[in-house]
């Protein structure tokens, strides 16, 4: 059974940092691209960042470029998102999702339940 | 990276059909056959319902179907059932990233 379990969310101050993790099981982690998608309160889904199966290719939404860093550890079956210089508008539930392909991110067939990030003073 | 345009709400009675549209541009929906649809019940993980415009993952009822014409994709739910009530999001590959729609809340009357 495929499982994706996010953690690391919580309350952060504007300008602060948080590190999200997503531990996966049930599939060969290194064979698939992964991504982070967020949902702000009352808003729709927003793609945040993606990483290829090898970890060599990464992409970011303009809204987080230069502030967030995506990475993966195939030994620990873990996807991470380092979030720096946090802003109030980063407040959202963050989901990790599995792509159906090794490099391109066109379709996400499994998702976690999400972890809530709140940025507030 | 503008969001795709979806109607905020849609509704239908049990047994009826409803279609949700998703409008983008030639840089996303119109440029690639990589439109997906996700069903999202609040507090749960989103679920893939349609991928590559028309394909259904294993386990998704054939009441769900997808199509595309130009820059607009559509999701049709036939034979509406109470459990279909949820938020539905479209997404499209856009070259080096993915763009989502704003979501449509489907209500089964």
């Amino acid at each position: 059974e495929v499982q994706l379990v996010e953690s690391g969310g919580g309350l952060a101050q504007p300008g602060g940092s948080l590190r999200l993790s997503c531990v996966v099981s049930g599939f060969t982690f290194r064979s698939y691209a992964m991504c982070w998608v967020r949902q702000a309160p009352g808003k729709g889904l927003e793609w945040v960042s993606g990483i290829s199966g090898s970890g060599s290719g990464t992409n970011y939404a303009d809204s987080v470029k230069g502030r967030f860093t995506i990475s993966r550890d195939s030994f620990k079956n873990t996807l991470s998102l380092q979030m720096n210089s946090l802003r109030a508008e980063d407040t959202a539930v963050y989901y990790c999702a599995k792509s159906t392909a090794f490099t391109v991110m066109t379709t996400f067939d499994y998702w976690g339940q999400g972890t809530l990030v709140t940025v507030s003073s | 990276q503008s969001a795709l345009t979806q109607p905020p709400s849609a509704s239908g009675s049990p047994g009826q059909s409803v279609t949700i549209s998703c409008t983008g541009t030639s840089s996303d929906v119109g440029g690639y056959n990589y439109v997906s649809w996700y069903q999202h019940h609040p507090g749960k993980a989103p679920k893939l319902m349609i991928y590559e415009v028309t394909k259904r993952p294993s386990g998704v009822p054939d009441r769900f179907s997808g199509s595309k014409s130009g820059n607009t994709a559509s999701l049709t739910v036939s034979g509406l059932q109470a459990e279909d009530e949820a938020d539905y999001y479209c997404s499209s590959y856009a070259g080096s990233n993915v763009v989502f729609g704003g979501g449509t809340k489907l209500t089964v009357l």
Side-chain angles (χ1 to χ4, degrees):
Chain A
E1 180 191 6
V2 172
Q3 288 193 323
L4 293 80
V5 180
E6 303 97 334
S7 63
L11 177 64
Q13 292 197 334
S17 299
L18 276 178
R19 186 177 182 87
L20 306 184
S21 295
C22 173
V23 177
V24 312
S25 60
F27 65 97
T28 304
F29 182 55
R30 63 180 179 275
S31 295
Y32 298 96
M34 299 288 295
C35 79
W36 288 96
V37 176
R38 68 185 180 184
Q39 184 176 32
K43 303 290 186 180
L45 299 175
E46 179 190 15
W47 178 84
V48 173
S49 180
I51 186 169
S52 63
S54 66
S56 61
T58 59
N59 298 92
Y60 299 91
D62 288 345
S63 57
V64 306
K65 200 171 292 184
R67 300 187 298 123
F68 291 10
T69 302
I70 191 171
S71 61
R72 63 192 298 159
D73 183 334
S74 293
F75 294 102
K76 296 182 179 178
N77 277 7
T78 300
L79 175 73
S80 298
L81 185 69
Q82 178 65 43
M83 304 187 296
N84 298 331
S85 302
L86 283 164
R87 305 167 181 168
E89 54 264 36
D90 295 320
T91 294
V93 174
Y94 284 73
Y95 298 95
C96 67
K98 170 189 169 291
S99 173
T100 56
F102 179 73
T103 52
V104 292
M105 286 156 277
T106 60
T107 303
F108 306 112
D109 55 352
Y110 290 96
W111 298 61
Q113 298 249 357
T115 186
L116 176 62
V117 171
T118 303
V119 183
S120 175
S121 55
Chain B
Q1 298 180 352
S2 300
L4 306 177
T5 301
Q6 296 182 235
S9 63
S11 63
S13 299
Q16 289 187 331
S17 293
V18 65
T19 296
I20 299 169
S21 63
C22 169
T23 301
T25 69
S26 58
S27 296
D28 37 64
V29 174
Y32 305 93
N33 285 323
Y34 288 120
V35 175
S36 300
W37 290 90
Y38 300 90
Q39 179 189 67
H40 190 205
H41 290 101
K44 293 195 169 184
K47 178 184 178 182
L48 177 66
M49 305 301 286
I50 296 288
Y51 68 101
E52 293 177 13
V53 181
T54 62
K55 299 178 181 179
R56 267 190 319 276
S58 173
V60 172
D62 59 6
R63 302 184 294 102
F64 291 84
S65 62
S67 63
K68 189 185 86 167
S69 177
N71 296 336
T72 298
S74 298
L75 172 72
T76 298
V77 186
S78 305
L80 271 174
Q81 299 183 4
E83 59 263 33
D84 299 334
E85 185 160 298
D87 297 322
Y88 290 85
Y89 293 90
C90 63
S91 76
S92 175
Y93 181 64
S96 60
N97 60 292
V98 172
V99 60
F100 283 91
T104 297
K105 182 175 181 58
L106 176 60
T107 301
V108 181
L109 302 171

